[in-house]
Amino acid sequence: MGDVRATGYGAIEPGTDLSRHARDLVRMHDALIGGGRSPIRPRAVVQRSWARVLQSGLAPDGTNARALLAVDEIERRRRRSALADVIVDLDLVISAVADASHLLMVVTDADGVILWRSGSARVRARADSLGFREGATWTEDAVGTNAIGTAIAEASPVQLFSGEHFEQTQHPWYCTAAPVHDPRTGELLGVVDVSGPALTLHPTVTALVETAVRLAQAQLWRHHESRLERLRLTAAPMLASSTGPILLVDDNGWVAHASGVAATKRVAAPRGDRTLTVPGLGPCSPERVAGGWVIRPQDQGARIEMRLDLSGSPVVVVSGADNSWRAPLSGRHAEILLLLHRAGPRGLSVAELSSGIYGDPDHAVAIRAEISRLRRILGSVIDGRPYRLAGSVHLDVDLGDTDLLTECAFVRRSTSPAVRALASD
């Protein structure tokens, strides 16, 4: 069997006969999707996507429904999207070549919903008939293999050409998409896609998309720095008159100013009704200012009392100097807290936590992600290197009607090796 390959993630190479290549791919699609054989096989990314789509039960003949969100929902998503700050810059990338190159740019949110579209008027009209328009969801499980949905599924840039699409109605098209991530956190914000008639595809389209994504992420970082600078200017009088350690952070915990405390880029997002623990400051009280928060340490020696309630669905109850609150926890987060509590001041390395939760040390990325989510819920109550409960935190565990871990239903139900082992101690 031959293999249809391309350099990088591109679907074609310079000099490719587009008409012939499109015919070959359509024949390959019809044969393989129909359960037959083909002298050529799809690229690995296409093969993986087709396998996922076939399991979803979508029809390859293009009769899959296209549901559009209401206009007010589209506007709501646009307002919430960080990409709204850079959409004008993205338009500038393609505006000079859109009509001449017969291309269309769309920008989606992280759910694969198209929020913005610009480019050739003629191509926009053709896209309308395909349901490729604002408010449509272009994930794999909605419209089959396509660059947007497959880029989300694969977490990487994707280019598809003609018969590589699952739906036959998309065969006259090419599409090239790349994810856009928050440059601060790595969170997926959406996807930039450039599409057009298949026979107009040029190898440089991948470079065009890459340029757009780099521009978007650079602009997002500049907007972030500008917001922090405005926050510093707003809070300048308060900062100038303050004595003692102090942090100035935005609503997401990004640090705009630090005095009397070791520099850090981010702390847990403050909430006015919650005491939070900040590394180097201990228990702190957040105070609202326009656009952010001022964080000062509470009285020296103040402690945060936490209770991990495992008598039913996991809940944590937190008490500070002058307030208390509770929050439900996932089973995984409860397991992590329980293991850190058992480890005591020595703590656990990321490899030890990975082995305790998953059974091997190879899930460091997943452990770091879970710790990050847990800190967003509870504040910075977990120190790192190794992971351990902060010195200002005292944690008790409530097992319900028993004092024995071996009789605790939560412990006995756990699938994590280190937690399950507690049931036999």
Side-chain angles (χ1 to χ4, degrees):
M1 263 186 157
D3 193 358
V4 180
R5 296 186 181 275
T7 303
Y9 66 89
I12 65 167
E13 297 176 348
T16 296
D17 183 330
L18 296 181
S19 294
R20 179 178 178 180
H21 192 41
R23 289 194 298 271
D24 288 345
L25 290 177
V26 169
R27 283 196 290 266
M28 175 191 73
H29 172 279
D30 293 347
L32 296 181
I33 296 298
R37 298 176 61 84
S38 169
I40 58 176
R41 66 174 182 266
R43 291 182 294 146
V45 65
V46 176
Q47 196 165 20
R48 290 193 299 270
S49 179
W50 283 2
R52 290 190 295 266
V53 173
L54 284 168
Q55 289 180 347
S56 72
L58 290 182
D61 61 5
T63 58
N64 304 299
R66 299 286 198 268
L68 298 179
L69 296 179
V71 173
D72 57 348
E73 174 62 13
I74 297 172
E75 289 300 326
R76 186 187 71 83
R77 286 176 176 254
R78 285 174 174 171
R79 288 192 300 270
R80 292 179 55 190
S81 174
L83 296 179
D85 290 336
V86 299
I87 193 63
V88 173
D89 300 294
L90 290 173
D91 281 342
L92 292 175
V93 172
I94 71 155
S95 60
V97 298
D99 287 327
S101 301
H102 307 288
L103 58 81
L104 186 70
M105 182 186 75
V106 303
V107 178
T108 79
D109 61 14
D111 297 326
V113 175
I114 298 175
L115 299 184
W116 294 279
R117 190 179 67 157
S118 61
S120 165
R122 182 176 298 178
V123 178
R124 282 203 307 273
R126 291 182 60 178
D128 287 346
S129 64
L130 194 65
F132 192 50
R133 57 190 302 173
E134 293 92 334
T137 300
W138 274 68
T139 54
E140 285 186 339
D141 58 0
V143 297
T145 301
N146 72 96
I148 293 170
T150 305
I152 293 174
E154 296 276 332
S156 66
V158 172
Q159 183 175 77
L160 298 172
F161 178 74
S162 186
E164 293 183 320
H165 295 88
F166 180 78
E167 287 188 344
Q168 293 171 343
T169 51
Q170 297 177 45
H171 288 179
W173 291 79
Y174 76 82
C175 52
T176 307
V180 182
H181 295 94
D182 188 321
R184 304 166 303 172
T185 65
E187 175 189 4
L188 176 66
L189 299 177
V191 174
V192 172
D193 171 89
V194 170
S195 296
L199 300 188
T200 66
L201 176 58
H202 191 277
T204 58
V205 168
T206 55
L208 181 66
V209 173
E210 289 164 3
T211 298
V213 170
R214 284 197 298 270
L215 173 65
Q217 294 182 166
Q219 288 293 81
L220 287 168
W221 183 257
R222 280 193 282 271
H223 284 295
H224 167 65
E225 291 183 322
S226 296
R227 284 190 289 267
L228 293 184
E229 179 60 26
R230 288 195 297 272
L231 179 56
R232 281 190 288 271
L233 291 174
T234 299
M238 179 181 294
L239 297 176
S241 61
S242 179
T243 59
I246 190 171
L247 283 176
L248 175 68
V249 305
D250 68 8
D251 286 333
N252 296 310
W254 292 99
V255 176
H257 173 84
S259 178
V261 61
T264 183
K265 292 182 178 179
R266 192 182 189 187
V267 300
R271 286 182 52 175
D273 60 344
R274 295 187 177 185
T275 298
L276 71 158
T277 297
V278 175
L281 292 182
C284 294
S285 297
E287 178 184 348
R288 197 72 161 111
V289 295
W293 301 83
V294 168
I295 299 174
R296 294 186 177 92
Q298 293 178 347
D299 294 338
Q300 195 168 16
R303 292 174 63 82
I304 291 181
E305 299 290 334
M306 294 177 57
R307 177 166 56 87
L308 176 59
D309 187 346
L310 300 179
S311 61
S313 297
V315 174
V316 68
V317 181
V318 182
S319 300
D322 53 7
N323 58 59
S324 63
W325 50 273
R326 58 193 288 125
L329 294 181
S330 69
R332 182 69 75 220
H333 287 163
E335 290 171 339
I336 290 172
L337 276 183
L338 180 59
L339 292 180
L340 293 179
H341 171 67
R342 297 281 294 180
R346 182 186 72 84
L348 296 170
S349 69
V350 65
E352 288 174 321
L353 258 183
S354 176
S355 296
I357 295 295
Y358 297 105
D360 61 62
D362 301 328
H363 291 77
V365 172
I367 288 295
R368 292 189 180 100
E370 293 292 357
I371 293 288
S372 178
R373 297 185 190 104
L374 188 52
R375 283 170 171 160
R376 286 200 291 271
I377 296 169
L378 302 180
S380 299
V381 299
I382 299 174
D383 290 340
R385 299 183 182 181
Y387 290 125
R388 61 192 183 280
L389 293 175
S392 58
V393 173
H394 177 262
L395 176 65
D396 286 321
V397 179
D398 182 354
L399 302 177
D401 296 332
T402 180
D403 293 328
L404 300 176
L405 283 167
T406 55
E407 297 178 2
C408 175
F410 174 83
V411 173
R412 296 174 68 87
R413 288 195 307 267
S414 174
T415 59
S416 297
V419 177
R420 193 168 60 243
L422 298 176
S424 58
D425 284 355

